[in-house]
């Protein structure tokens, strides 16, 4: 890694911690509103989804715009998506359910949006574990890549989690915006796939 | 009762103690406040046309405590009151927007004067009451009630109001009056929520069985924390039914109808699998998307257990004897 790379990655690393910093600061300043726990759970979930979307932007940016620098931070963004998902999940387990595992089990089994959230979190775990260079080597590039295609499924389950939660009033404006962005990012993959298979065909 | 004044009021705007002491009777205070609200509503309406909201101008008037010597009630809870700032900042009032903090932001879109409530349907003496008549003709009480939202949060609010039954009886409901329907304001030109594609049919409709409506716990509220009801909390007059989920307590009511058939409340019409006509607080009947066994009291970090009929079982359980509360949710 060059000096510039280290500087760039450090900068991104710190920037990715800003949402958490804001949450913690505002919590102690009592600026998270009347229901701080609700804000904490929603914000961490939303940031996980946002980091996931940023991760999915890297390849299209490389292929369409030719931006190579994204590859240097793709793993970090993906891990931050997992990091915020961990905070989200922990906040739910602790602040919302106070580790009442019977209630949590009922939630996971009977409430579709929580089922989807749980599936999303579980699917993220193997990707986080196999994110190191050592694991890539151990698995071999091709198998590693196949495993990490799970991210497309994660994108879908996480958007379903968000969509089915809606809010109590059934307003879907925000989930629709996120779903459209995810859909575009995923459709681009199909487009790339068709293009490359055509190229190979010739 | 301790009434905290928000610290954003200039000391020059606070009524001097001597003048305040002279306002022993709330009626005088009310007259002043009503005039003040009308003036500030007009002012903000004018300012809005110039593109400036002036909610700060209406605030001092609305924040002034105007009710004192209120009759206390045997139903009052001695639990810690929810902070005023939370009670006015965290609201579900879709007419003023769908987020929790939208109602306070859009509060000046609700015009509360002139205002009247018409009472019709299965009554011998249908009629209309002007808000000023309502404010002066009923003995006001302070009712400190728990408020439990269907979204699993709760507050403790000191309402100012009077039993709904006192108003209803004046109109002499007939024997056909089996239910009471409450219709809220319909003003899509001003109310942003009624212009949006929000999945509710306007105006907002709610309903109670006649015995629920006549129950001594059921009140019409015109104030809270000793002050005039803020717009985002359902000014100028709202229903409070403390043993039911909050959405049953209609805000900004303009019409009360006695009917023979069970009314179709707005939420029941929109999402019949999630919202029921009775909507009594019941920890054992889960909402499809979340548990109702616990609730977060606003101001507390962890959740607490919810209570059947929101803790008012002693007073209201007999209304539902023999009824399957799971089916009639």
């Amino acid at each position: 890694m060059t000096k510039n790379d280290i500087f760039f990655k450090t900068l991104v690393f710190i920037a990715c911690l800003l949402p958490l910093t804001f949450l913690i600061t505002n919590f102690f300043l009592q600026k998270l509103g009347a229901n701080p726990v609700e804000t904490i759970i929603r914000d961490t979930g939303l940031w996980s989804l946002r980091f996931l979307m940023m991760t999915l932007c890297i390849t299209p940016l490389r292929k369409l715009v030719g931006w190579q620098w994204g590859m240097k931070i793709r793993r970090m963004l993906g891990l931050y998506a997992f990091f915020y998902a961990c905070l989200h999940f922990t906040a739910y387990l602790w602040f919302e359910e106070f580790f009442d595992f019977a209630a949590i089990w009922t939630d996971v089994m009977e409430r579709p949006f929580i089922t989807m959230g749980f599936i999303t979190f579980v699917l993220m775990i193997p990707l986080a574990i196999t994110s190191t260079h050592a694991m890539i080597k151990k698995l071999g590039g091709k198998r590693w890549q196949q495993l990490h295609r799970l991210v497309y499924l994660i994108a879908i389950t996480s958007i379903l989690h968000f969509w089915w939660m809606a809010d109590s009033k059934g307003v879907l404006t925000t989930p629709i915006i996120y779903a459209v962005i995810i859909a575009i990012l995923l459709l681009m993959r199909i487009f790339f796939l068709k293009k490359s298979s055509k190229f190979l065909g010739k | 009762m301790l009434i905290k004044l928000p610290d954003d009021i200039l000391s020059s705007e606070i009524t001097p103690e001597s003048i305040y002491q002279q306002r022993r009777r709330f009626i005088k205070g009310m007259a002043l406040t009503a005039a003040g609200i009308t003036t500030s509503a007009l002012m903000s309406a004018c300012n809005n046309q110039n593109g400036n909201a002036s909610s700060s101008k209406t605030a001092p008037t609305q924040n002034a405590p105007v009710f004192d010597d209120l009759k206390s009630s045997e139903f009052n809870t001695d639990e810690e009151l929810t902070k005023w700032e939370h009670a006015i900042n965290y609201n579900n009032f879709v007419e003023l927007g769908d987020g929790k903090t939208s109602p306070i932001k859009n509060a000046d879109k609700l015009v509360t004067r002139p205002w009247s409530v018409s009472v019709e349907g299965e009554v011998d003496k249908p009629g209309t009451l002007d808000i000023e008549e309502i404010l002066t003709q009923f003995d006001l009480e302070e009712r400190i009630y728990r408020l439990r939202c269907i979204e699993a949060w709760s507050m403790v609010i000191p309402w100012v109001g009077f039993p709904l039954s006192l108003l209803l009886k004046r109109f002499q409901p007939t024997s056909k009056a089996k239910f009471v329907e409450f219709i809220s304001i319909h003003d899509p030109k001003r109310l942003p929520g009624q212009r949006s594609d929000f999945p509710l049919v306007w105006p907002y409709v709610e309903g109670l069985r006649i015995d629920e409506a006549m129950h001594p716990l059921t009140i019409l509220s015109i104030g809270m924390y000793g002050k005039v009801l803020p717009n985002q909390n359902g000014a100028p007059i709202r229903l409070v039914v403390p043993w039911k989920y909050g959405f049953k307590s209609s805000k900004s009511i303009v019409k009360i109808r006695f009917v023979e058939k069970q009314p179709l409340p707005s939420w029941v019409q929109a999402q019949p699998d999630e919202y029921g006509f009775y909507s009594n607080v019941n920890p054992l009947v889960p909402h499809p998307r979340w548990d109702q066994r616990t609730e977060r009291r606003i101001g507390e970090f962890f959740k607490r257990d919810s209570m059947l009929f929101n803790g008012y079982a002693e007073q209201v359980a007999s209304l539902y004897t023999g009824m399957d509360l799971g089916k009639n949710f």
Side-chain angles (χ1 to χ4, degrees):
Chain A
M1 268 200 305
T2 67
K3 234 179 176 178
N4 270 344
D5 281 358
I6 293 170
F7 178 72
F8 174 59
K9 286 176 94 166
T10 312
L11 208 67
V12 175
F13 183 85
I14 293 169
C16 293
L17 281 170
L18 285 179
L20 178 63
T21 316
F22 279 128
L23 263 182
I24 293 171
T25 320
N26 284 330
F27 176 76
F28 286 107
L29 293 175
Q30 301 200 342
K31 282 189 173 168
L32 290 185
N35 195 343
V37 175
E38 183 183 65
T39 313
I40 292 169
I41 293 179
R42 294 205 174 160
D43 261 29
T44 48
L46 212 47
W47 277 106
S48 178
L49 182 55
R50 285 170 186 161
F51 279 110
L52 183 72
M53 283 160 45
M54 286 186 239
T55 315
L56 287 172
C57 282
I58 303 296
T59 302
L61 283 177
R62 180 168 56 94
K63 292 196 174 168
L64 296 174
V65 193
W67 286 355
Q68 298 296 332
W69 53 263
M71 293 306 285
K72 291 174 186 161
I73 54 166
R74 187 172 69 172
R75 173 170 54 188
M76 198 197 302
L77 293 175
L79 283 172
Y80 264 111
F82 181 64
F83 173 67
Y84 280 95
C86 287
L87 294 176
H88 180 62
F89 191 51
T90 310
Y92 160 76
L93 292 179
W94 187 2
F95 308 154
E96 192 67 16
E97 300 293 349
F98 204 71
F99 305 111
D100 177 349
F101 287 103
I104 293 162
W105 181 250
T106 314
D107 263 0
V108 172
M109 297 313 287
E110 290 178 11
R111 310 215 151 81
F113 91 89
I114 295 183
T115 315
M116 267 314 147
F118 186 73
I119 291 175
T120 307
F121 183 71
V122 170
L123 287 176
M124 285 174 112
I125 297 171
L127 302 201
I129 292 173
T130 58
S131 64
T132 60
H133 281 300
M135 285 306 277
I136 300 175
K137 262 192 189 157
K138 206 172 162 190
L139 285 172
K142 205 172 175 190
R143 266 168 65 201
W144 184 88
Q145 206 173 20
Q146 278 172 344
L147 176 67
H148 279 248
R149 289 208 175 108
L150 268 180
V151 72
Y152 305 134
L153 184 60
I154 290 168
I156 294 168
T157 55
S158 63
I159 215 69
L160 286 176
H161 168 58
F162 194 26
W163 189 289
W164 289 345
M165 182 203 71
D167 63 5
S168 64
K169 310 190 191 91
V171 178
L172 285 169
T173 325
T174 323
I176 287 172
I177 296 170
Y178 280 83
V180 168
I181 298 173
I182 293 271
I184 293 170
L185 289 168
L186 293 185
L187 285 171
M188 278 173 152
R189 265 62 188 193
I190 297 173
F191 170 74
F192 295 145
L193 201 69
K194 276 194 176 157
K195 217 173 139 190
S196 64
S197 60
K198 231 186 223 170
F199 179 77
L200 288 172
K202 276 176 187 176
Chain B
M1 195 191 79
L2 180 71
I3 297 170
K4 270 194 183 170
L5 284 173
D7 44 15
D8 58 349
I9 296 183
L10 297 173
S11 57
S12 61
E13 288 175 331
I14 296 175
T15 312
E17 180 75 11
S18 58
I19 295 179
Y20 174 75
Q21 286 300 336
Q22 290 165 17
R23 296 182 188 163
R24 292 310 290 172
R25 286 189 56 76
F26 73 89
I27 299 173
K28 283 185 196 163
M30 274 315 302
L32 283 171
T33 313
I37 289 175
T38 316
T39 316
S40 47
L42 284 171
M43 275 163 64
S44 65
C46 298
N47 284 343
N48 279 344
Q49 286 174 354
N50 301 329
N52 314 304
S54 70
S55 51
S56 60
K57 282 180 185 167
T58 60
T61 327
Q62 289 202 349
N63 281 332
V66 290
F67 306 107
D68 51 16
D69 291 341
L70 289 168
K71 214 163 59 169
S72 183
S73 163
E74 51 170 325
F75 300 125
N76 287 358
T77 170
D78 52 9
E79 288 163 274
E80 193 183 337
L81 300 183
T82 300
K83 280 187 190 164
W84 158 263
E85 62 184 86
H86 288 159
I88 63 162
N89 268 295
Y90 193 77
N91 307 101
N92 280 323
F93 191 6
V94 187
E95 283 85 338
L96 295 177
D98 57 44
K100 289 284 181 303
T101 51
S102 338
I104 191 170
K105 284 177 200 145
N106 294 321
D108 60 344
K109 304 283 197 301
L110 175 67
V111 178
T112 58
R113 292 294 187 285
W115 194 280
S116 60
V117 179
S118 65
V119 182
E120 54 187 57
E122 301 293 344
V123 280
D124 284 337
K125 292 184 173 172
T128 300
L129 276 176
D130 191 81
I131 189 71
E132 312 300 341
E133 291 175 81
I134 297 174
L135 290 172
T136 49
Q137 290 180 7
F138 295 90
D139 256 351
L140 297 178
E141 295 175 39
E142 179 162 74
R143 294 282 183 111
I144 307 175
Y145 283 162
R146 289 176 289 276
L147 167 78
R148 170 62 157 81
C149 179
I150 193 165
E151 298 167 338
W153 54 267
S154 64
M155 295 184 178
V156 176
I157 310 275
W159 302 106
V160 180
F162 55 90
L164 171 66
S165 62
L166 295 181
L167 183 139
L168 296 185
K169 281 174 189 162
R170 284 192 177 195
F171 297 88
Q172 299 176 9
T174 69
S175 60
K176 279 187 175 172
K178 302 270 194 284
F179 295 91
V180 187
E181 189 175 60
F182 303 89
I183 294 131
S184 297
I185 182 175
H186 192 221
D187 187 8
K189 271 190 193 154
R190 293 200 189 91
L191 301 173
Q194 294 186 335
R195 284 197 304 273
S196 69
D197 53 358
F198 194 81
L200 274 188
V201 178
W202 304 109
Y204 191 82
V205 171
E206 255 310 332
L208 294 173
R209 225 167 54 190
I210 189 88
D211 54 347
E212 298 175 323
M214 292 293 186
H215 193 279
L217 273 174
T218 307
I219 59 163
L220 280 172
S221 165
I222 46 90
M224 59 184 214
Y225 298 79
K227 304 168 191 183
V228 173
L229 207 56
N231 286 3
Q232 66 273 25
N233 294 81
I237 185 162
R238 65 168 295 168
L239 190 64
V240 179
V241 195
W243 73 92
K244 291 175 179 284
Y245 293 121
F247 74 93
K248 292 292 292 181
S249 295
S250 291
K251 299 183 174 84
S252 307
I253 295 168
V254 295
K255 195 184 284 183
I256 298 175
R257 266 161 39 103
F258 290 89
V259 290
E260 197 174 2
K261 285 185 185 150
Q262 181 172 304
L264 180 61
S266 294
W267 280 113
V268 182
Q269 190 180 354
Q271 286 161 280
D273 52 332
E274 299 199 353
Y275 298 87
F277 175 78
Y278 285 96
S279 288
N280 293 316
V281 176
N282 191 338
L284 298 177
V285 179
H287 183 280
R289 280 178 288 153
W290 58 85
D291 209 332
Q292 293 292 27
R293 291 187 305 170
T294 56
E295 66 197 50
R296 177 166 292 106
R297 178 66 53 84
I298 296 303
E300 295 177 353
F301 194 81
F302 290 107
K303 295 173 100 176
R304 51 161 73 204
D305 286 341
S306 289
M307 294 181 283
L308 180 63
F309 299 117
N310 202 22
Y312 298 97
E314 201 188 314
Q315 288 85 16
V316 300
S318 60
L319 296 175
Y320 310 102
T321 320
M323 230 170 97
D324 182 340
L325 297 174
K327 267 184 200 151
N328 298 286
F329 62 91

